[in-house]
């Protein structure tokens, strides 16, 4: 038994085939690694951007909250300062009308500067102003006059928020600038009342103060008043978003800057100021740089991995695969299943080689068994064919032998040769005659089937006209047509050429198809026979009926020998199921084709073609036809 190993020819073949395999392997590995890198990198990049954006947002919000807390601290510090000065015996005595030099002595310029005060107001219990003093708080900076300041303070509601021993703080929007305001009832140093009035202190939030707060917090800080009619759209949108979400918002301004917005509210919860903290997007740029470095790292790692994997695949897989391909290819070239594959080693390729050898052995055995089985089947088939031919011939002969005297004696008795007969006897004899004719037709069908099966039908081809053949068959079937109460019409195109056919077999084809149409057409129905030139040197005969029709499944099996479709009307009609099969075989023997179209409940159309003797010089239109009806 020949065995292929790894000769020099194998190496030569491997040299020719390996580059294509290597390139395809590199391509596959490269594509796989690329998609793997994308699958890893894209989510990682999204996570990096998300986390750094989240960190940026968190940082900006934290800065905004620091700014808001700083302003809140300013408010609390001012409230504490107001509380300390309002709960003091000297202040208590001043409001009562004593200690007239108290204001100038205590609240001088140095005191205003040290406490960063811009406004001091002392009211008695009747709301009368007992002291009103400002520092760097005048109309030159766009602030309102004293009366307007007092009106704004009164309408702000801060005075309504203080209690008998506690104060309140508020941000009041003056025409020139916002003002942090605190108010506290005037009590003794022991916080004992009754209250002698209210002390109000104010600290302005002008541009210098905002810059100072920003420097203190190391933030780019801006404060926007919300009582202005010409607010920017960005400011209005930010206020709406903060009001909706209840938290500061972060909005990127440009590629390099981002802004955070937060609200400063009054004691009643009404927004008064919008704090804006603008910062650079250093965090996002760090995230982008990190993503870029990650991508570069992935690409370099992927290239190294692709080179390494390709090298390993070439050494461990491709070379051994080339050897295996060479061996299998040589078996295919020789077409000899006796050859065997030899691959050294103890890995999957050697296992594959063993499997191929086992398969070759199995195929060799199967091929041998198949040849023997085919020889046996061929002999068996020849025996079956011979047996069937003998059976059909014997049965047909044995059935035909008694039929002839049965019909003869029945005819003699019907003609009165044996004496007079009664009407009942006449009816019985007619039934015998009718069924004997049916039996004779069945026997003839069986004989024809046997001849077709044996290939022993010889056609006596001659030039025939179709019209006389149709007329002859209709005359033969006249009694059956009348009994079925069906009308038959014939349309034959003028100048219809003759056909090359066997006269007896043409009559048999027409008889089988017309009989089938008549049998399956209900009483009162119509059968139409048309003969026309079909082109390509063919004459087409079409038989239309208004019968019960057939389904697609039934049409597929219609020309199968002994096939009869199910149905109520079919169950009442006798037959062997051989007529249409015989018709098809005879048509095809003549070189023609037969087909059927049918619609259940509407009817069927059977068409068959026969070759013409000579092509017609002219073919008349189908509407110029002659019609005969039975």
């Amino acid at each position: 038994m020949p065995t292929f190993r790894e000769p020099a020819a194998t190496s030569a073949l491997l040299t020719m085939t390996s580059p294509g395999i290597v390139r395809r392997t590199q391509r596959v590995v490269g594509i796989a690694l690329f998609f793997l890198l994308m699958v890893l990198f894209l989510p990682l990049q999204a996570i990096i951007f998300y986390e750094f954006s989240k960190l940026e947002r968190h940082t900006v919000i934290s800065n905004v909250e620091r700014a808001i807390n700083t302003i809140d601290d300013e408010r609390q510090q001012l409230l504490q300062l107001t509380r300390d000065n309002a709960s003091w015996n000297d202040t208590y005595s001043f409001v009562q009308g004593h200690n007239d030099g108290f204001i100038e002595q205590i609240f001088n310029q140095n005191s205003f500067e040290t406490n960063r005060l811009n406004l001091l107001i002392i009211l008695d219990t009747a709301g009368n102003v007992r002291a009103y003093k400002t520092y760097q708080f005048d109309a030159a900076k766009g602030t309102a006059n004293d009366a307007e300041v007092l009106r704004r303070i009164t309408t702000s509601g801060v005075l309504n928020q203080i209690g008998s021993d506690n104060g309140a703080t508020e941000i009041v929007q003056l025409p020139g600038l916002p003002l942090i305001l605190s108010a506290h009832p005037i009590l003794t140093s022991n916080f004992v009342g009754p209250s002698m009035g209210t002390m109000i202190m104010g600290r302005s939030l002008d541009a210098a103060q905002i810059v100072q707060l920003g420097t203190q917090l190391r933030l780019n800080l801006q404060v926007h008043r919300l009582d202005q009619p010409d607010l920017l759209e960005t400011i209005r949108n930010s206020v709406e978003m903060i009001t909706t979400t209840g938290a500061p918002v972060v909005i990127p301004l440009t590629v390099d800057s981002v802004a955070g917005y937060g609200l400063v509210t009054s004691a009643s919860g009404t927004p008064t100021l919008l704090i804006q903290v603008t910062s650079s997007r250093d965090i996002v740029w760090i995230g982008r740089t990190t993503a870029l470095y990650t991508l570069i790292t992935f690409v370099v790692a992927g290239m190294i991995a692709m080179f390494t994997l390709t090298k390993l695949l070439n050494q461990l897989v491709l070379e051994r695969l080339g050897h295996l391909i060479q061996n299998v290819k040589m078996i295919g070239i020789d077409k000899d299943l006796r050859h065997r594959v030899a691959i050294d080693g103890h890995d999957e390729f050697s296992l594959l080689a063993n499997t191929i050898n086992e398969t070759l052995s199995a195929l060799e055995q199967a091929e041998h068994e198949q040849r023997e089985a085919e020889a046996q089947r061929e002999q068996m088939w020849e025996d079956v064919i011979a047996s069937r031919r003998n059976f059909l011939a014997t049965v047909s002969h044995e059935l035909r032998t008694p039929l002839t005297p049965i019909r003869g004696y029945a005819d003699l008795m019907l003609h009165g040769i044996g004496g007079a007969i009664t009407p009942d006897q006449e009816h019985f004899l007619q039934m015998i005659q009718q069924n004997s004719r049916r039996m004779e037709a069945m026997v003839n069908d069986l004989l024809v089937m046997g001849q077709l099966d044996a290939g022993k039908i010889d056609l006596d081809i001659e030039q025939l006209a179709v019209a006389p053949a149709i007329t002859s068959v209709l005359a033969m079937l006249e009694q059956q047509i009348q009994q079925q109460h069906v009308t038959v019409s014939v349309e034959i195109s003028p100048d219809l050429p003759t056909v090359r056919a066997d006269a007896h077999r043409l009559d048999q084809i027409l008889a089988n198809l017309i009989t089938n149409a008549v049998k399956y057409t209900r009483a009162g129905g119509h059968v139409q026979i048309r003969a026309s030139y079909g082109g390509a040197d063919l004459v087409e005969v079409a038989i239309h009926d208004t019968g019960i029709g057939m389904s697609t499944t039934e049409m597929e099996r219609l020309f199968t020998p002994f096939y009869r479709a199910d149905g109520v009307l079919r169950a009442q009609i006798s037959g062997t199921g051989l007529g249409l099969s015989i018709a098809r075989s005879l048509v095809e023997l003549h070189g023609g084709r037969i087909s059927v179209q049918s619609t259940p409940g509407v009817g069927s159309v059977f068409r068959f073609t026969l070759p013409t003797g000579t092509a017609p010089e002219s073919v008349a239109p189908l509407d110029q036809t002659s019609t005969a009806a039975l």
Side-chain angles (χ1 to χ4, degrees), residues 71-128:
I71 294 177
D72 289 339
D73 290 342
E74 290 284 320
R75 295 171 65 174
Q76 295 303 319
Q77 290 175 8
L78 185 60
L79 178 60
Q80 183 62 41
L81 180 62
T82 306
R83 180 176 181 274
D84 292 342
N85 285 278
S87 303
W88 190 15
N89 290 336
D90 290 347
T91 306
Y92 200 84
S93 176
F94 169 76
V95 178
Q96 287 179 328
H98 309 295
N99 197 4
D100 293 335
F102 169 75
I103 296 297
E104 297 298 332
Q105 179 182 1
I106 301 301
F107 296 100
N108 52 34
Q109 179 178 347
N110 184 53
S111 176
F112 269 80
E113 291 178 352
T114 302
N115 295 297
R116 292 186 291 112
L117 288 177
N118 298 100
L119 176 65
L120 173 68
I121 301 175
I122 297 179
L123 303 176
D124 60 16
T125 55
N128 297 318

Coordinates of all heavy atoms in Angstrom, one line a residue, residues 71-128:
I71 N -19.5 83.0 50.0 CA -20.5 84.1 50.1 C -21.4 83.9 51.3 O -21.7 84.8 52.1 CB -21.3 84.3 48.8 CG1 -20.3 84.7 47.7 CG2 -22.4 85.2 49.0 CD1 -21.0 84.9 46.4
D72 N -21.7 82.6 51.5 CA -22.5 82.3 52.7 C -21.8 82.5 54.0 O -22.3 83.0 55.0 CB -23.0 80.8 52.7 CG -24.0 80.6 51.6 OD1 -24.7 81.5 51.2 OD2 -24.2 79.4 51.2
D73 N -20.5 82.2 53.9 CA -19.6 82.5 55.1 C -19.6 84.0 55.3 O -19.6 84.5 56.5 CB -18.2 82.0 54.9 CG -18.2 80.5 54.9 OD1 -19.1 79.9 55.5 OD2 -17.2 79.9 54.4
E74 N -19.5 84.8 54.2 CA -19.5 86.3 54.4 C -20.8 86.7 55.1 O -20.8 87.6 55.9 CB -19.4 86.9 53.0 CG -18.0 86.8 52.3 CD -17.0 87.7 53.0 OE1 -17.4 88.9 53.3 OE2 -15.9 87.3 53.2
R75 N -21.9 86.1 54.7 CA -23.2 86.5 55.3 C -23.2 86.1 56.8 O -23.7 86.9 57.6 CB -24.3 85.7 54.5 CG -24.5 86.2 53.1 CD -25.4 85.3 52.3 NE -26.8 85.4 52.8 CZ -27.9 84.9 52.2 NH1 -27.7 84.2 51.1 NH2 -29.1 85.0 52.7
Q76 N -22.7 84.9 57.1 CA -22.7 84.5 58.5 C -21.7 85.3 59.3 O -22.0 85.7 60.5 CB -22.3 83.0 58.6 CG -23.4 82.1 58.0 CD -24.7 82.3 58.6 OE1 -24.9 82.4 59.8 NE2 -25.8 82.3 57.7
Q77 N -20.6 85.7 58.7 CA -19.6 86.5 59.5 C -20.2 87.9 59.7 O -20.1 88.5 60.8 CB -18.3 86.7 58.7 CG -17.5 85.4 58.6 CD -16.3 85.6 57.7 OE1 -16.0 86.7 57.2 NE2 -15.6 84.4 57.4
L78 N -20.9 88.4 58.7 CA -21.6 89.7 58.9 C -22.7 89.7 59.9 O -22.8 90.6 60.7 CB -22.1 90.2 57.5 CG -22.7 91.6 57.5 CD1 -21.6 92.7 57.9 CD2 -23.2 92.0 56.1
L79 N -23.4 88.6 59.9 CA -24.5 88.4 60.9 C -23.9 88.3 62.3 O -24.4 88.9 63.2 CB -25.3 87.2 60.5 CG -26.5 86.8 61.5 CD1 -27.5 88.0 61.6 CD2 -27.1 85.5 61.1
Q80 N -22.8 87.6 62.4 CA -22.1 87.5 63.7 C -21.6 88.8 64.2 O -21.8 89.2 65.4 CB -21.0 86.5 63.6 CG -20.3 86.2 65.0 CD -21.2 85.6 66.0 OE1 -22.0 84.7 65.7 NE2 -21.1 86.1 67.3
L81 N -21.0 89.6 63.2 CA -20.6 91.0 63.6 C -21.7 91.8 64.0 O -21.6 92.6 65.0 CB -19.9 91.6 62.4 CG -19.3 93.0 62.5 CD1 -18.2 93.0 63.6 CD2 -18.7 93.5 61.2
T82 N -22.9 91.7 63.3 CA -24.0 92.5 63.7 C -24.6 92.1 65.0 O -25.0 93.0 65.8 CB -25.1 92.4 62.6 OG1 -24.6 92.7 61.3 CG2 -26.3 93.3 62.8
R83 N -24.6 90.8 65.3 CA -25.1 90.3 66.5 C -24.2 90.8 67.7 O -24.7 91.2 68.7 CB -25.1 88.8 66.5 CG -25.5 88.1 67.8 CD -25.6 86.6 67.5 NE -26.1 85.9 68.7 CZ -25.3 85.5 69.7 NH1 -24.0 85.8 69.7 NH2 -25.8 84.9 70.8
D84 N -22.9 90.8 67.5 CA -22.0 91.2 68.6 C -22.2 92.7 68.9 O -22.1 93.1 70.1 CB -20.5 91.0 68.1 CG -20.2 89.5 68.1 OD1 -21.0 88.7 68.6 OD2 -19.2 89.1 67.4
N85 N -22.4 93.5 67.9 CA -22.5 95.0 68.1 C -23.9 95.3 68.5 O -24.1 96.3 69.2 CB -22.2 95.7 66.8 CG -20.7 95.8 66.6 OD1 -20.0 96.6 67.2 ND2 -20.2 94.8 65.8
A86 N -25.0 94.5 68.1 CA -26.3 94.9 68.5 C -26.6 94.4 69.9 O -27.4 95.0 70.6 CB -27.3 94.2 67.5
S87 N -26.0 93.3 70.4 CA -26.2 92.9 71.8 C -25.1 93.4 72.7 O -24.2 92.7 73.1 CB -26.2 91.3 71.8 OG -27.2 90.8 70.9
W88 N -25.2 94.7 72.9 CA -24.1 95.4 73.6 C -24.8 96.6 74.4 O -25.6 97.3 73.9 CB -23.1 96.0 72.6 CG -21.8 96.5 73.2 CD1 -21.4 96.3 74.4 CD2 -20.9 97.3 72.5 NE1 -20.2 97.0 74.6 CE2 -19.9 97.6 73.4 CE3 -20.8 97.9 71.2 CZ2 -18.8 98.4 73.1 CZ3 -19.7 98.7 70.9 CH2 -18.7 98.9 71.9
N89 N -24.4 96.7 75.6 CA -25.0 97.7 76.5 C -24.8 99.1 75.9 O -25.7 100.0 76.0 CB -24.4 97.7 77.9 CG -24.8 96.4 78.6 OD1 -25.8 95.8 78.3 ND2 -24.0 96.0 79.6
D90 N -23.6 99.4 75.3 CA -23.4 100.7 74.8 C -24.4 101.0 73.6 O -24.9 102.2 73.5 CB -22.0 100.9 74.2 CG -21.0 100.9 75.4 OD1 -21.4 101.0 76.5 OD2 -19.8 100.7 75.1
T91 N -24.6 100.0 72.8 CA -25.6 100.2 71.7 C -27.0 100.4 72.3 O -27.8 101.2 71.8 CB -25.6 99.0 70.7 OG1 -24.2 98.8 70.3 CG2 -26.5 99.3 69.5
Y92 N -27.3 99.6 73.3 CA -28.6 99.6 73.9 C -28.9 101.0 74.5 O -30.0 101.6 74.4 CB -28.7 98.5 75.0 CG -30.1 98.1 75.5 CD1 -30.8 97.2 74.8 CD2 -30.6 98.7 76.6 CE1 -32.0 96.8 75.2 CE2 -31.9 98.3 77.1 CZ -32.6 97.4 76.3 OH -33.8 97.0 76.8
S93 N -27.8 101.5 75.2 CA -27.9 102.9 75.8 C -28.1 104.0 74.7 O -28.8 104.9 74.9 CB -26.7 103.1 76.7 OG -26.7 104.4 77.2
F94 N -27.3 103.8 73.6 CA -27.4 104.8 72.5 C -28.8 104.9 72.0 O -29.3 106.0 71.7 CB -26.4 104.4 71.4 CG -26.6 105.2 70.2 CD1 -26.1 106.6 70.1 CD2 -27.2 104.7 69.0 CE1 -26.3 107.3 69.0 CE2 -27.4 105.5 67.9 CZ -26.9 106.8 67.9
V95 N -29.5 103.8 71.8 CA -30.8 103.9 71.2 C -31.8 104.5 72.2 O -32.7 105.1 71.8 CB -31.3 102.5 70.8 CG1 -32.7 102.5 70.2 CG2 -30.3 101.9 69.7
Q96 N -31.5 104.3 73.5 CA -32.3 104.9 74.5 C -32.1 106.4 74.7 O -32.8 107.1 75.4 CB -32.1 104.2 75.9 CG -32.6 102.8 75.9 CD -32.3 102.1 77.3 OE1 -31.3 102.4 77.9 NE2 -33.2 101.3 77.7
G97 N -31.2 107.0 73.9 CA -31.0 108.4 74.0 C -29.7 108.8 74.7 O -29.5 110.0 74.9
H98 N -28.9 107.9 75.2 CA -27.7 108.2 75.9 C -26.5 107.9 75.0 O -26.6 107.4 74.0 CB -27.7 107.3 77.2 CG -28.9 107.4 78.0 ND1 -29.4 108.5 78.6 CD2 -29.9 106.4 78.3 CE1 -30.5 108.3 79.3 NE2 -30.9 106.9 79.0
N99 N -25.4 108.3 75.5 CA -24.1 107.9 74.9 C -24.1 108.5 73.4 O -24.0 107.7 72.5 CB -23.9 106.4 74.9 CG -22.4 106.0 74.6 OD1 -21.6 106.9 74.4 ND2 -22.2 104.7 74.5
D100 N -24.2 109.8 73.3 CA -24.3 110.4 71.9 C -23.1 110.2 71.1 O -23.2 110.2 69.9 CB -24.6 111.9 72.1 CG -26.0 112.1 72.7 OD1 -26.9 111.2 72.6 OD2 -26.2 113.2 73.3
G101 N -21.9 110.1 71.6 CA -20.7 110.0 70.8 C -20.4 108.5 70.5 O -19.3 108.2 70.0
F102 N -21.3 107.6 70.7 CA -21.1 106.2 70.6 C -20.7 105.9 69.1 O -19.8 105.2 68.8 CB -22.3 105.4 71.0 CG -22.3 104.0 70.7 CD1 -21.5 103.1 71.3 CD2 -23.1 103.5 69.6 CE1 -21.4 101.8 71.0 CE2 -23.1 102.2 69.3 CZ -22.3 101.3 70.0
I103 N -21.5 106.4 68.2 CA -21.3 106.1 66.7 C -20.0 106.5 66.2 O -19.2 105.8 65.6 CB -22.5 106.7 65.9 CG1 -23.8 106.0 66.3 CG2 -22.2 106.4 64.4 CD1 -23.9 104.5 66.1
E104 N -19.7 107.8 66.5 CA -18.4 108.3 66.0 C -17.2 107.7 66.6 O -16.2 107.5 66.0 CB -18.4 109.8 66.2 CG -19.4 110.6 65.4 CD -19.3 110.4 63.9 OE1 -18.2 110.2 63.4 OE2 -20.3 110.5 63.2
Q105 N -17.4 107.3 67.8 CA -16.3 106.7 68.6 C -16.0 105.2 68.1 O -14.9 104.8 67.9 CB -16.5 106.8 70.1 CG -15.4 106.1 70.9 CD -15.7 106.2 72.4 OE1 -16.8 106.7 72.8 NE2 -14.8 105.7 73.2
I106 N -17.1 104.5 68.0 CA -17.0 103.0 67.7 C -16.9 102.8 66.2 O -16.1 102.0 65.7 CB -18.1 102.2 68.4 CG1 -18.1 102.5 69.9 CG2 -18.0 100.7 68.1 CD1 -16.8 102.1 70.6
F107 N -17.8 103.3 65.5 CA -17.9 103.0 64.0 C -17.3 104.1 63.2 O -17.9 104.9 62.5 CB -19.4 102.9 63.7 CG -20.1 101.7 64.3 CD1 -20.9 101.9 65.4 CD2 -19.9 100.4 63.8 CE1 -21.5 100.8 66.1 CE2 -20.5 99.3 64.5 CZ -21.3 99.5 65.6
N108 N -16.0 104.2 63.4 CA -15.2 105.2 62.6 C -14.7 104.5 61.3 O -15.0 103.4 61.0 CB -14.1 105.7 63.4 CG -13.2 104.6 64.1 OD1 -13.1 103.6 63.4 ND2 -12.7 104.8 65.3
Q109 N -13.9 105.3 60.6 CA -13.3 104.7 59.3 C -12.5 103.5 59.5 O -12.6 102.6 58.7 CB -12.5 105.9 58.6 CG -11.9 105.4 57.3 CD -11.1 106.5 56.6 OE1 -11.2 107.7 57.0 NE2 -10.4 106.1 55.6
N110 N -11.7 103.5 60.5 CA -10.9 102.3 60.8 C -11.7 101.1 61.1 O -11.4 100.0 60.6 CB -9.9 102.6 62.0 CG -9.0 101.5 62.2 OD1 -8.3 101.1 61.3 ND2 -9.0 101.0 63.4
S111 N -12.8 101.3 61.8 CA -13.7 100.2 62.1 C -14.4 99.6 60.8 O -14.5 98.4 60.6 CB -14.8 100.6 63.1 OG -15.7 99.5 63.3
F112 N -14.8 100.5 59.9 CA -15.4 100.1 58.7 C -14.4 99.3 57.8 O -14.8 98.3 57.2 CB -15.9 101.4 57.9 CG -17.3 101.7 58.3 CD1 -17.7 102.4 59.4 CD2 -18.4 101.3 57.4 CE1 -18.9 102.7 59.7 CE2 -19.7 101.7 57.8 CZ -20.0 102.3 58.9
E113 N -13.2 99.8 57.8 CA -12.2 99.2 56.9 C -11.8 97.8 57.5 O -11.6 96.8 56.8 CB -10.9 100.0 56.8 CG -11.2 101.3 56.0 CD -9.9 102.1 55.9 OE1 -9.0 101.8 56.6 OE2 -9.9 103.1 55.1
T114 N -11.7 97.8 58.9 CA -11.3 96.5 59.5 C -12.3 95.4 59.3 O -12.0 94.3 59.0 CB -11.0 96.7 61.0 OG1 -10.0 97.7 61.1 CG2 -10.6 95.4 61.7
N115 N -13.6 95.8 59.4 CA -14.7 94.8 59.3 C -15.3 94.8 57.9 O -16.3 94.1 57.7 CB -15.8 95.2 60.3 CG -15.4 95.1 61.7 OD1 -15.0 94.0 62.2 ND2 -15.3 96.2 62.4
R116 N -14.6 95.5 57.0 CA -15.1 95.5 55.6 C -16.6 95.8 55.5 O -17.3 95.2 54.8 CB -14.8 94.2 54.9 CG -13.3 93.9 54.8 CD -13.0 92.7 53.9 NE -13.4 91.4 54.6 CZ -14.3 90.6 54.3 NH1 -15.0 90.9 53.2 NH2 -14.6 89.5 55.0
L117 N -17.0 96.9 56.2 CA -18.3 97.4 56.2 C -18.5 98.5 55.2 O -17.6 99.3 55.0 CB -18.8 97.8 57.6 CG -19.0 96.8 58.7 CD1 -19.3 97.4 60.0 CD2 -20.1 95.8 58.3
N118 N -19.7 98.5 54.7 CA -20.0 99.7 53.8 C -21.2 100.4 54.2 O -21.5 101.5 53.8 CB -20.2 99.1 52.3 CG -19.0 98.5 51.8 OD1 -18.9 97.2 51.8 ND2 -18.0 99.2 51.3
L119 N -22.0 99.8 55.2 CA -23.2 100.5 55.6 C -23.6 100.1 57.0 O -23.4 98.9 57.4 CB -24.4 100.0 54.6 CG -25.8 100.5 55.0 CD1 -25.9 102.0 54.8 CD2 -26.8 99.8 54.1
L120 N -24.0 101.1 57.8 CA -24.5 100.9 59.1 C -25.8 101.7 59.3 O -25.8 102.9 59.1 CB -23.5 101.3 60.2 CG -23.9 101.3 61.6 CD1 -24.2 99.8 62.1 CD2 -22.9 102.0 62.5
I121 N -26.8 101.0 59.8 CA -28.1 101.7 60.1 C -28.6 101.2 61.4 O -28.6 100.0 61.7 CB -29.2 101.4 58.9 CG1 -28.6 101.9 57.6 CG2 -30.5 102.0 59.3 CD1 -29.6 101.5 56.4
I122 N -29.1 102.1 62.2 CA -29.7 101.7 63.5 C -31.1 102.3 63.5 O -31.2 103.6 63.3 CB -28.9 102.3 64.7 CG1 -27.5 101.6 64.7 CG2 -29.6 102.0 66.0 CD1 -26.6 102.1 65.9
L123 N -32.1 101.5 63.7 CA -33.5 101.9 63.8 C -34.0 101.6 65.2 O -33.6 100.7 65.9 CB -34.3 101.1 62.8 CG -33.9 101.1 61.3 CD1 -34.8 100.2 60.5 CD2 -34.0 102.5 60.8
D124 N -34.8 102.6 65.6 CA -35.5 102.3 66.9 C -36.7 101.4 66.7 O -37.0 101.0 65.6 CB -35.8 103.6 67.6 CG -36.8 104.5 66.8 OD1 -37.4 103.9 65.9 OD2 -36.9 105.7 67.0
T125 N -37.4 101.2 67.8 CA -38.6 100.3 67.7 C -39.7 100.9 66.9 O -40.5 100.1 66.3 CB -39.1 100.0 69.1 OG1 -39.4 101.3 69.8 CG2 -38.1 99.2 70.0
A126 N -39.7 102.2 66.7 CA -40.7 102.8 65.8 C -40.3 102.8 64.4 O -41.1 103.3 63.5 CB -41.0 104.2 66.3
G127 N -39.1 102.3 64.0 CA -38.6 102.3 62.7 C -37.9 103.6 62.3 O -37.6 103.8 61.1
N128 N -37.7 104.5 63.3 CA -37.0 105.8 63.0 C -35.5 105.5 62.9 O -35.0 104.7 63.6 CB -37.3 106.8 64.0 CG -38.8 107.2 64.1 OD1 -39.4 107.3 63.0 ND2 -39.3 107.3 65.3

